[in-house]
Amino acid sequence: MSFNLDDANIGAQLKVGTGIYPAIGEGLTRVNGSAGIEGPVVIGQPTHFPIPYATLNVAPLVNSDNLIPPFVPGALPLGLSNPYSICASANLAVMANLDVNFRIQAGGIIAGKIVHDFSGNFLAAKKDFDIPHPTKDDWRLRHVAPEAPTADVYIRGRVTNKTEIIFPTYWKGLVDWTTITVNLTPIGAHQNVIVKRIDEDKVYLQAHGGMPINCFYHIYGERQDCERNIAEYEGTSPEDYPGDNSQYLQSGKV
């Protein structure tokens, strides 16, 4: 049996199909204004889906009574995919897999623990920044962090009329001081500056003949709060790594 109605206002609850829907309540606990539909459901162009593709099938909007075409104004990157079939103006949670047939566009950061293609190639998670160019109009600037076989941190700066370079206090718990290396670049004149010694707190400098020291410095040290990286190892995939893989986000071919 079917009914043809011009309008239907349901003040309590709409149910289509059979079954009990705990999320919207039953009887005295029902949520007014809620609905339970067993599915499959088609929204939009009636013939867009020849068979049910999913429980909810959303097709393009083709209703001629709609006087304003669907359009998302500036909420997404340039609105490149307008018109949209679904628009969520709040957060959207996907509790299982999300399969995308074409491309993913984002106006911000796409974050994930591991990203790889269908061939099993893990995409290198480069550490970078991408900002509007500071001196050229309509240009952008992207820098990528260097990579090394060791988990290094560094500090740099200038030392003037001093014979010590003091490390940040947190380096004592972060850096293995026995791995520290120091590069010095004298400014203005050759001063024959040398590193006299290094301890957990500072670098001690000495210049020829007691000359005033004026130089730039780069100081590197390897982190001690994590496992030391094994740069080369025998194997055919990251799973063959002989160390603790849980400390790494691997890039390479599986």
Side-chain angles (χ1 to χ4, degrees):
M1 180 181 296
S2 62
F3 297 93
N4 294 320
L5 302 173
D6 290 333
D7 296 289
N9 295 318
I10 300 174
Q13 196 174 73
L14 171 67
K15 286 189 177 180
V16 180
T18 61
I20 296 175
Y21 300 86
I24 61 175
E26 298 285 337
L28 296 177
T29 63
R30 75 182 180 194
V31 178
N32 291 333
S34 62
I37 302 176
E38 190 173 7
V41 177
V42 176
I43 299 177
Q45 186 181 31
T47 60
H48 190 81
F49 297 97
I51 60 173
Y53 284 11
T55 306
L56 176 62
N57 304 268
V58 182
L61 178 62
V62 294
N63 189 340
S64 60
D65 290 340
N66 187 66
L67 300 179
I68 302 176
F71 180 77
V72 178
L76 296 175
L78 303 178
L80 294 177
S81 299
N82 270 308
Y84 295 91
S85 294
I86 297 178
C87 176
S89 63
N91 296 329
L92 181 65
V94 178
M95 306 301 290
N97 295 325
L98 176 64
D99 297 329
V100 179
N101 199 34
F102 293 102
R103 64 185 179 188
I104 296 176
Q105 297 163 183
I109 297 173
I110 298 178
K113 184 176 181 181
I114 297 177
V115 182
H116 66 82
D117 61 21
F118 288 114
S119 299
N121 297 311
F122 286 85
L123 307 182
K126 294 189 282 290
K127 297 178 180 178
D128 60 65
F129 69 81
D130 192 312
I131 60 174
H133 200 285
T135 60
K136 294 182 180 180
D137 293 338
D138 299 323
W139 283 64
R140 294 191 65 82
L141 178 67
R142 175 176 294 189
H143 277 195
V144 180
E147 297 179 353
T150 52
D152 292 338
V153 294
Y154 77 92
I155 56 173
R156 65 182 180 89
R158 180 174 181 172
V159 57
T160 305
N161 297 325
K162 295 180 180 179
T163 58
E164 297 175 349
I165 303 173
I166 300 174
F167 302 139
T169 55
Y170 61 81
W171 265 41
K172 185 170 291 188
L174 180 67
V175 175
D176 178 359
W177 72 274
T178 64
T179 66
I180 290 175
T181 59
V182 182
N183 296 321
L184 302 172
T185 305
I187 301 170
H190 294 292
Q191 302 155 36
N192 293 326
V193 182
I194 66 169
V195 175
K196 191 173 182 180
R197 70 178 188 275
I198 300 173
D199 62 25
E200 293 180 278
D201 300 305
K202 64 186 72 173
V203 177
Y204 299 85
L205 305 178
Q206 180 176 295
H208 178 70
M211 290 181 61
I213 294 175
N214 183 19
C215 67
F216 297 120
Y217 63 84
H218 276 85
I219 302 175
Y220 291 84
E222 189 171 351
R223 288 173 56 179
Q224 65 179 353
D225 63 330
C226 58
E227 180 185 74
R228 180 163 291 180
N229 182 52
I230 303 170
E232 294 182 294
Y233 60 92
E234 184 177 1
T236 57
S237 81
E239 298 301 321
D240 297 318
Y241 182 72
D244 181 6
N245 253 340
S246 67
Q247 297 189 21
Y248 300 87
L249 173 60
Q250 299 92 31
S251 299
K253 185 174 178 62
V254 175

